[in-house]
Amino acid sequence: MSDFSRRYLLRASAAAGAGAVVVPALTAAGAPDIAAASTLYLLAASDPTKGSSGCRPAKLTGHIVRPGDASYTDDRIDYDQLFSHYPLVIVFAQKTQDVVNALTWARQHNVALRVRSGRHALEGWSNIDNGIVIDVSQLKSVHIDADARIATVGAGLTQQEAVTALAKQDLAVTTGSEGSVGLVGATVGGGLGPLNRYLGMACEA
């Protein structure tokens, strides 16, 4: 990605969250002030006036990780650690409603968001500073209708998990070649693997 497009994305992300989140000052190491970010989250989450008119204020559900929590550092880091981001809050969705609640909360508080599954996004695109990360990696349901040859899977499935589940039913699907990559991410914008010549890329399926 060119420097110009990278700057554009950063500016767009900052603008999306500027209505509700004040960007904390940076430390010498370039990391946002985690204490300040945590305070901003607590203020926003406890302010009953932040909900959109005509809609009940949303509440974050699922497994919530905030700056200052013991697991925050491990939970915020993606596969490519060259790009390090410090989200305001990370929501590990346990069910679909947790995703709905997180999206509603982000909209009501005008907070920028990212959705993450396998953490393999190039240049840290599935993470964000001072925003909300909705992690769907724990949504791993699988339902296969062998007669119809249709598989319905949760957004947290990796390519390896999907291929393994399908193989048990003597079925296959085109995916990328790296098993730990999230199936959804590969399907949206990639999926270069061994079945490409026969079935095409995953994003073309």
Side-chain angles (χ1 to χ4, degrees):
M1 174 177 285
S2 67
D3 290 340
F4 173 79
S5 57
R6 185 181 298 112
R7 292 193 193 100
Y8 176 82
L9 285 172
L10 290 173
R11 288 170 184 161
S13 297
V21 178
V22 178
V23 178
L26 298 182
T27 65
D33 185 339
I34 300 301
S38 181
T39 301
L40 285 170
Y41 167 78
L42 292 173
L43 289 174
S46 63
D47 187 348
T49 67
K50 290 293 184 180
S52 302
S53 59
C55 183
R56 295 178 59 184
K59 180 180 180 181
L60 295 178
T61 56
H63 177 57
I64 312 301
V65 178
R66 306 177 179 89
D69 289 347
S71 65
Y72 179 78
T73 297
D74 289 337
D75 291 338
R76 72 172 180 81
I77 292 176
D78 286 339
Y79 179 81
D80 188 351
Q81 297 183 28
L82 177 63
F83 301 93
S84 185
H85 296 281
Y86 295 81
L88 192 65
V89 59
I90 305 169
V91 175
F92 286 91
Q94 311 292 306
K95 53 187 178 181
T96 302
Q97 189 60 46
D98 297 335
V99 177
V100 174
N101 293 343
L103 290 170
T104 304
W105 186 92
R107 183 179 70 248
Q108 289 181 350
H109 296 286
N110 195 26
V111 174
L113 66 88
R114 295 290 186 272
V115 180
R116 183 180 74 182
S117 178
R119 304 197 195 189
H120 280 263
L122 296 175
E123 298 197 10
W125 292 337
S126 60
N127 210 331
I128 190 171
D129 290 319
N130 305 303
I132 178 173
V133 172
I134 304 173
D135 189 298
V136 298
S137 62
Q138 297 177 18
L139 300 179
K140 293 185 178 296
S141 60
V142 179
H143 175 73
I144 300 174
D145 185 336
D147 293 332
R149 302 173 68 84
I150 295 175
T152 304
V153 301
L157 231 61
T158 65
Q159 295 184 123
Q160 180 176 351
E161 290 167 338
V163 168
T164 301
L166 287 169
K168 293 178 180 179
Q169 300 287 339
D170 291 327
L171 299 172
V173 66
T174 182
T175 66
S177 58
E178 173 55 57
S180 62
V181 170
L183 179 65
V184 170
T187 303
V188 170
L192 181 63
L195 293 179
N196 289 162
R197 290 190 177 186
Y198 178 57
L199 297 173
M201 293 180 64
C203 61
E204 299 172 336

